[in-house]
Amino acid sequence: MRQAFSASKPSPSGRDKGRRKGAAEQLLTDQALSLRARLHGALALGLTKSDGHGAKKWQSTDAGIQSHVLKAVAAFVGSLSNEALRLAPVKESISDILLALEGILKTHNVSVLIQAADVSLRLFSSIGNSVRQYPILEMVSSLSCQLSADQLRIAVPCASALTCILNSLVTARTSTQAEIWEALEKTNAVASVISALQNYTHDVHPLNYLTEMISLLRSILWIWPSSRYHVWSNCNLMAKLAQYCLSAETTVAAKILKLYAALALCGNGVMVLLKDEELIPKICDLMGKSHPSVTRIEALKLCQVLLRSPRGCNQLITSHYHPIVQGIINAMSEIDEKSLVTEGCRTALLALRYHGNHHRCFWSNSIDEVLYKILAGSCSSEHQTHEMLCHGELFNKDSKDIMNIDPYVWDILGYLSVHCNNEYLSVRKRKNNFLQALISCACSLATDITQKNSSTKFSKEELEPALRAILMMLLSPSQYIFSEASSKFLEVVLPLGDECMNILLSSLESNVIRNLTASFDCAKIMNNLMNLACLVIVQSNHSLNKRSVVGVLSTTIKECLHNRLYITRSNNASHLHFCFDGVSCCYLAEEWEGENVILFYGLVVLYNVLRRVSLVCIHCEKNLDGGIVCHDCREYYNEGLIRVLEHALGQNLSPGPKSYIAHILSLFGLCGFPSKLGAKMRSALCDNELVDLELLLADSEPLSAHAAILSVRCSKLLPSGKSLVHDVKTTYEGSRRSLYHVRMSDRVDSHALKKILEYAYAGFVTVDADTVKPVKTLAKYCHLKSLQEMLQREQPRWSSDCPRYDLTAAVEPAEHSFSDIILEAQSNEKMECHHGSCELSTPHVHSHKIVLSMTCDYLRALFQSGMHERLSLCFSLCRGYQSSGQVGSPG
């Protein structure tokens, strides 16, 4: 019979505990029990309670005892299995071991420290993520203090042990992470690691010294954002890391790639990395087929972090898109290596979110064929793939194969489609029907949501990406993709007739309107809206009750704007959870469609319902000469939907929802993106004192304007500087003022031109139904693309930015300037001016009275008092040109 470790007899109230403890000990082997008894015998030599009471603490400074304990610890830890680590007696022993190690690591005996460092590493390697069950704060401090040890046999295992601990804290509570970071700061852990990396010399130090310090620094950077500044701001360290990455073997390069990925969680870190002209080609090279899979995966993961934001993506893709795309395609083509394919797909997904020449490169590398082969699976030969392609038998495979279809494929297909044009499709190397087959597969999978009697069973996580891909294909600028997706989608839903749409609307209504006092089924509402969006886009002749539909959608949007209806994509698509469990900081950008996808899909449906309406009131169905709502019903929407959307347009929303809100309002005649600066500049239209331009019209009186504003906001209304007619005009006050004259074409409608001027000055204009056509024509001529698209009822372009009201270009150096005032600083410094023929050498800015007077009451008063043309003062000009804190923003 096995002897229990505790000699004390359990109290009557603790009998159950004693039985459980005894049962747990019986699960240990005889050897483990013997080693445990030996361990506690050794621990008793130095682990005691202070003054006989309170918490236990290591008291012995005797090197012999310390060494004896460490040997006992090493033997006991080496005997433990994963199952044994979960037993209560073992956990008690580990807690005592940690107390002993904390004390022993503070000794000055080098041989004992070497032994303690090795034992610490062995312990934390064994217990893994269960380290969070123990109090490790003091242990972290003890290990951290040894990072700067002269003996590498101490520093290296301590660094490795710390890495094991920190890797288990990635998902720990914020309070726990804060305590650990405080301990690392007090012991100068980051500075010690940086010093080690900067002083590393390959002919003096072993390679594992470098790799372990890199791994530790990566773990710190991954969890604590404040640590990243110490790395990316250290030019010497960054140069050293780049040197190691460029010249060292692939194992070291892979470690540094992981460190770079952690550093790139900071936007400033991204910019520093992208400035290195030699580093990015090296990363692209490490993605190549000649390198081991583990190195290629780390290179792909680093690219993923760099591609998170538009800023990083633009800098990385613009100059290096060809090797990056090639590396991604090569990874996605390794069908037999699932991890490599997955990371390739993830990288492609992030790169394709933004438009650019890299899309053309993806198509030229037959991305459609690569995606189809991922769906077909590695089990399919070239002949089998061809047979499935010809006969549409992809979904006739075994159910176990169907369930492995990667949702990344649908996201990639969606982004490819929504940024595609007909030119991209023409560059494909192999003209085949892979793309057609992909579209057909997506439609078959997506419409499974709407068919109750579907024979195939897919999870929501597979259905959502496929349905989203269909919607993005229906929003594609490529006529081929739109036509194929429309026809395939209609093939499935047409047999259901209007019943399908009515079922979806009924479900949406019951979930949104009838459940205002209950909890919402957000996932179901999202799927209903996505299906409705697809149906409304492809079926122009649906017999919907517009008033009822608009009412349901209006309620949905209101609930979203009040955050009562809310769901993100990641809530319903777990494949997106790869996006970096490290803590991000600086320059993050959310998806174009925003976080709350219910709001976005609701706006898409509403816009596509309303844009189909022609010459009939959506509320009372009265016939109209133009517009979508009659005069009698206008007030109803002014007080309801329009007011809600106008308020939302001023909120901090993503570009996608904001664009659709603006397009919906344009259907009611309210066109543009209001801004604070635009509201101020609107009053300049009524200013006759500072005008310096007259637009001469054949059918009406001349229109006054300001050349400085039009040169930035609507330059097509101005001819070249040499062609401007310039004369002098006497004002009613007797002063003489220079004027430019521009004669407009006889075909320009004066009312339309007034609307264009209002839009140019304010960024927002009301366009009545009877003036839509001439305003649209003039907007096209003036290259006011946003206004033109609204009046033409076009879909907002995916990933397009909302127009920004920004006049800063007016103060930039130009050969022909409309500046009428110089702001000169009181300074003895010298500057070279490139503004026309200016010869001033003191710091100054060429500005415009009209902008300054509209944005600053003080300066307006000075101008009206007859101040000198050259104003000598220190002045922050950006404020006036970019709207008091709202730097050119539409809101």
Side-chain angles (χ1 to χ4, degrees):
M1 183 176 178
R2 293 175 179 171
Q3 184 179 358
F5 169 71
S6 177
S8 61
K9 188 176 180 180
S11 61
S13 60
R15 281 194 182 121
D16 290 340
K17 281 187 178 180
R19 291 193 190 99
R20 285 196 296 269
K21 185 174 181 180
E25 288 183 348
Q26 288 179 6
L27 296 176
L28 293 173
T29 63
D30 290 331
Q31 181 189 14
L33 283 172
S34 174
L35 291 173
R36 183 170 181 266
R38 177 187 166 194
L39 167 68
H40 282 273
L43 289 172
L45 298 175
L47 191 63
T48 59
K49 295 181 180 181
S50 301
D51 300 327
H53 62 273
K56 288 187 288 186
K57 188 177 181 180
W58 182 259
Q59 306 286 351
S60 176
T61 58
D62 184 272
I65 293 176
Q66 292 171 341
S67 179
H68 173 59
V69 169
L70 292 171
K71 290 177 182 177
V73 171
F76 175 68
V77 170
S79 70
L80 297 176
S81 63
N82 290 333
E83 292 75 16
L85 289 171
R86 294 194 288 267
L87 300 177
V90 173
K91 290 181 179 180
E92 291 176 8
S93 299
I94 291 176
S95 295
D96 288 344
I97 290 172
L98 289 173
L99 292 173
L101 287 174
E102 289 168 12
I104 294 173
L105 282 168
K106 294 174 183 176
T107 186
H108 297 291
N109 188 304
V110 174
S111 61
V112 172
L113 281 175
I114 292 173
Q115 191 179 0
D118 288 334
V119 171
S120 298
L121 174 58
R122 187 178 300 185
L123 172 66
F124 290 112
S125 297
S126 298
I127 62 179
N129 287 333
S130 60
V131 69
R132 283 188 288 175
Q133 300 175 19
Y134 305 98
I136 55 169
L137 188 60
E138 292 300 323
M139 192 66 196
V140 168
S141 296
S142 298
L143 290 170
S144 180
C145 288
Q146 301 301 330
L147 294 176
S148 57
D150 294 331
Q151 285 285 339
L152 300 186
R153 291 178 62 188
I154 299 173
V156 173
C158 284
S160 302
L162 261 179
T163 303
C164 291
I165 294 173
L166 299 186
N167 287 343
S168 70
L169 297 176
V170 173
T171 57
R173 287 194 300 256
T174 304
S175 58
T176 301
Q177 292 182 349
E179 290 173 351
I180 298 296
W181 174 241
E182 185 178 354
L184 293 173
E185 279 192 307
K186 286 181 178 178
T187 53
N188 295 316
V190 175
S192 298
V193 176
I194 289 176
S195 176
L197 293 174
Q198 286 180 309
N199 297 325
Y200 172 80
T201 307
H202 71 276
D203 54 353
V204 175
H205 303 96
L207 185 62
N208 72 327
Y209 180 57
L210 174 65
T211 56
E212 292 306 324
M213 289 297 177
I214 290 173
S215 296
L216 175 56
L217 184 57
R218 182 264 177 194
S219 298
I220 294 173
L221 297 178
W222 193 256
I223 302 174
W224 292 285
S226 56
S227 65
R228 296 166 194 156
Y229 170 79
H230 302 290
V231 177
W232 64 256
S233 64
N234 189 324
C235 298
N236 293 331
L237 174 62
M238 294 302 294
K240 275 277 191 178
L241 291 174
Q243 177 188 337
Y244 301 149
C245 186
L246 293 171
S247 59
E249 59 183 66
T250 53
T251 54
V252 177
K255 294 273 187 183
I256 293 178
L257 290 176
K258 295 183 74 170
L259 188 152
Y260 281 155
L263 183 62
L265 290 173
C266 171
N268 290 311
V270 171
M271 294 300 108
V272 171
L273 291 173
L274 292 177
K275 286 178 182 176
D276 192 327
E277 297 180 356
E278 294 182 348
L279 178 61
I280 302 305
K282 176 64 175 180
I283 295 171
C284 296
D285 174 65
L286 293 172
M287 290 164 51
K289 292 182 177 180
S290 60
H291 295 282
S293 295
V294 63
T295 305
R296 295 170 69 185
I297 287 173
E298 293 305 330
L300 289 165
K301 287 182 175 180
L302 173 56
C303 280
Q304 291 166 21
V305 190
L306 296 175
L307 291 167
R308 291 179 312 151
S309 67
R311 188 177 177 184
C313 182
N314 181 58
Q315 285 199 231
L316 182 63
I317 292 294
T318 300
S319 53
H320 302 283
Y321 69 85
H322 190 272
I324 289 175
V325 170
Q326 193 63 58
I328 292 172
I329 291 290
N330 288 339
M332 293 173 65
S333 302
E334 302 278 0
I335 302 298
D336 294 327
E337 295 195 45
K338 185 175 180 181
S339 297
L340 200 54
V341 173
T342 300
E343 297 305 330
C345 288
R346 289 171 171 176
T347 313
L349 185 156
L350 290 167
L352 291 168
R353 290 185 302 169
Y354 309 105
H355 61 83
N357 289 332
H358 58 295
H359 279 265
R360 178 188 178 94
C361 193
F362 271 104
W363 286 111
S364 67
N365 281 277
S366 303
I367 181 65
D368 52 334
E369 181 177 353
V370 174
L371 292 176
Y372 189 88
K373 288 183 176 179
I374 291 175
L375 292 182
S378 59
C379 60
S380 302
S381 65
E382 190 74 27
H383 175 73
Q384 288 172 321
T385 301
H386 178 74
E387 288 295 312
M388 285 191 289
L389 194 64
C390 294
H391 301 101
E393 295 181 352
L394 179 66
F395 292 106
N396 292 335
K397 298 197 300 177
D398 293 338
S399 59
K400 63 179 180 180
D401 294 324
I402 292 176
M403 297 307 292
N404 289 328
I405 293 174
D406 201 331
Y408 293 117
V409 171
W410 305 124
D411 274 359
I412 292 170
L413 180 62
Y415 285 123
L416 284 168
S417 301
V418 86
H419 293 301
C420 184
N421 57 45
N422 295 320
E423 179 192 357
Y424 290 168
L425 296 181
S426 66
V427 300
R428 287 179 296 169
K429 294 177 182 177
R430 295 174 63 179
K431 306 297 180 185
N432 49 41
N433 52 355
F434 282 110
L435 177 58
Q436 187 178 15
L438 282 171
I439 295 173
S440 179
C441 292
C443 290
S444 299
L445 180 57
T447 52
D448 181 72
I449 297 175
T450 61
Q451 298 183 56
K452 294 181 179 179
N453 298 321
S454 173
S455 58
T456 56
K457 303 296 181 183
F458 299 98
S459 67
K460 290 181 179 180
E461 293 183 357
E462 292 168 308
L463 291 168
E464 188 274 343
L467 187 52
R468 182 173 181 266
I470 294 299
L471 178 57
M472 296 174 83
M473 285 189 276
L474 295 175
L475 297 174
S476 173
S478 166
Q479 190 58 42
Y480 174 79
I481 292 178
F482 172 78
S483 299
E484 282 293 317
S486 298
S487 61
K488 297 295 182 185
F489 192 77
L490 282 173
E491 281 181 14
V492 180
V493 300
L494 269 183
L496 302 174
D498 287 340
E499 179 188 357
C500 177
M501 194 172 292
N502 291 329
I503 291 173
L504 290 169
L505 281 170
S506 176
S507 175
L508 181 64
E509 183 179 10
S510 64
N511 268 286
V512 175
I513 295 180
R514 297 171 191 171
N515 283 342
L516 290 179
T517 58
S519 59
F520 296 107
D521 186 345
C522 290
K524 189 172 184 178
I525 292 172
M526 180 190 71
N527 286 331
N528 286 340
L529 288 170
M530 293 172 75
N531 269 289
L532 278 171
C534 294
L535 289 167
V536 170
I537 291 172
V538 300
Q539 287 186 295
S540 58
N541 59 344
H542 50 71
S543 57
L544 288 174
N545 184 322
K546 303 294 190 301
R547 178 176 177 177
S548 174
V549 173
V550 172
V552 173
L553 294 172
S554 298
T555 303
T556 303
I557 293 167
K558 290 175 187 176
E559 293 300 316
C560 289
L561 292 172
H562 287 96
N563 290 323
R564 288 192 286 263
L565 259 179
Y566 185 92
I567 190 172
T568 64
R569 271 208 80 204
S570 58
N571 292 145
N572 221 45
S574 62
H575 68 287
L576 299 177
H577 292 172
F578 78 94
C579 288
F580 329 114
D581 54 2
V583 180
S584 301
C585 61
C586 309
Y587 307 132
L588 289 180
E590 60 183 349
E591 291 282 358
W592 184 75
E593 61 266 46
E595 285 193 357
N596 190 354
V597 290
I598 294 181
L599 173 62
F600 176 74
Y601 294 135
L603 292 167
V604 173
V605 177
L606 180 59
Y607 178 63
N608 281 280
V609 167
L610 294 179
R611 70 192 284 257
R612 300 284 189 182
V613 176
S614 179
L615 305 180
V616 63
C617 177
I618 58 174
H619 193 70
C620 66
E621 299 187 359
K622 183 191 298 183
N623 291 332
L624 303 173
D625 295 328
I628 62 172
V629 63
C630 66
H631 177 76
D632 296 334
C633 299
R634 177 78 187 199
E635 190 62 26
Y636 172 81
Y637 287 102
N638 284 344
E639 294 298 318
L641 177 63
I642 294 176
R643 174 178 291 184
V644 170
L645 294 180
E646 284 182 319
H647 176 71
L649 200 57
Q651 295 182 13
N652 185 27
L653 296 176
S654 296
K658 211 158 204 174
S659 295
Y660 270 99
I661 288 172
H663 277 65
I664 292 169
L665 289 173
S666 71
L667 298 175
F668 293 93
L670 307 172
C671 303
F673 295 83
S675 68
K676 291 183 178 180
L677 180 56
K680 292 179 179 179
M681 297 308 299
R682 181 189 295 274
S683 57
L685 283 169
C686 304
D687 177 89
N688 292 318
E689 182 180 351
L690 297 175
V691 296
D692 58 356
L693 175 70
E694 283 189 343
L695 302 176
L696 306 179
L697 293 157
D699 63 344
S700 70
E701 293 294 318
L703 297 179
S704 299
H706 305 84
I709 295 176
L710 292 186
S711 66
V712 177
R713 297 286 297 162
C714 189
S715 59
K716 284 291 289 183
L717 288 179
L718 298 176
S720 63
K722 295 179 180 179
S723 304
L724 278 171
V725 180
H726 193 226
D727 68 1
V728 178
K729 181 176 182 179
T730 303
T731 66
Y732 67 92
E733 295 176 342
S735 64
R736 296 171 65 80
R737 183 171 68 247
S738 296
L739 280 177
Y740 296 103
H741 287 151
V742 177
R743 186 168 297 280
M744 307 303 294
S745 167
D746 294 344
R747 292 174 293 177
V748 174
D749 180 82
S750 60
H751 297 292
L753 183 57
K754 288 179 182 179
K755 293 295 182 183
I756 293 296
L757 286 176
E758 186 178 352
Y759 182 80
Y761 274 70
F764 187 81
V765 64
T766 300
V767 181
D768 296 329
D770 54 346
T771 59
V772 166
K773 187 173 182 180
V775 174
K776 179 170 59 178
T777 302
L778 197 52
K780 182 177 181 180
Y781 168 79
C782 292
H783 294 176
L784 299 174
K785 191 174 181 181
S786 178
L787 179 60
Q788 177 194 345
E789 289 176 348
M790 289 182 192
L791 295 175
Q792 289 180 173
R793 299 190 176 190
E794 293 183 10
Q795 296 278 1
R797 290 181 177 272
W798 197 281
S799 287
S800 61
D801 291 325
C802 298
R804 302 171 67 241
Y805 198 110
D806 193 351
L807 296 174
T808 50
V811 295
E812 293 176 355
E815 182 179 349
H816 186 83
S817 170
F818 297 105
S819 170
D820 56 3
I821 187 171
I822 296 175
L823 301 180
E824 187 176 352
Q826 293 178 343
S827 172
N828 295 324
E829 295 181 8
K830 301 293 183 182
M831 70 167 281
E832 184 180 357
C833 183
H834 301 282
H835 214 103
S837 58
C838 178
E839 297 179 357
L840 279 176
S841 60
T842 55
H844 65 280
V845 176
H846 292 259
S847 187
H848 309 86
K849 288 183 180 178
I850 184 62
V851 179
L852 297 177
S853 64
M854 292 297 108
T855 56
C856 180
D857 294 338
Y858 172 73
L859 288 177
R860 181 164 61 251
L862 286 179
F863 297 150
Q864 291 172 348
S865 67
M867 56 170 283
H868 294 294
E869 289 300 297
R870 184 185 295 178
L871 181 65
S872 182
L873 76 164
C874 295
F875 186 74
S876 177
L877 192 62
C878 290
R879 192 177 233 178
Y881 281 76
Q882 295 185 325
S883 179
S884 57
Q886 302 294 320
V887 184
S889 69

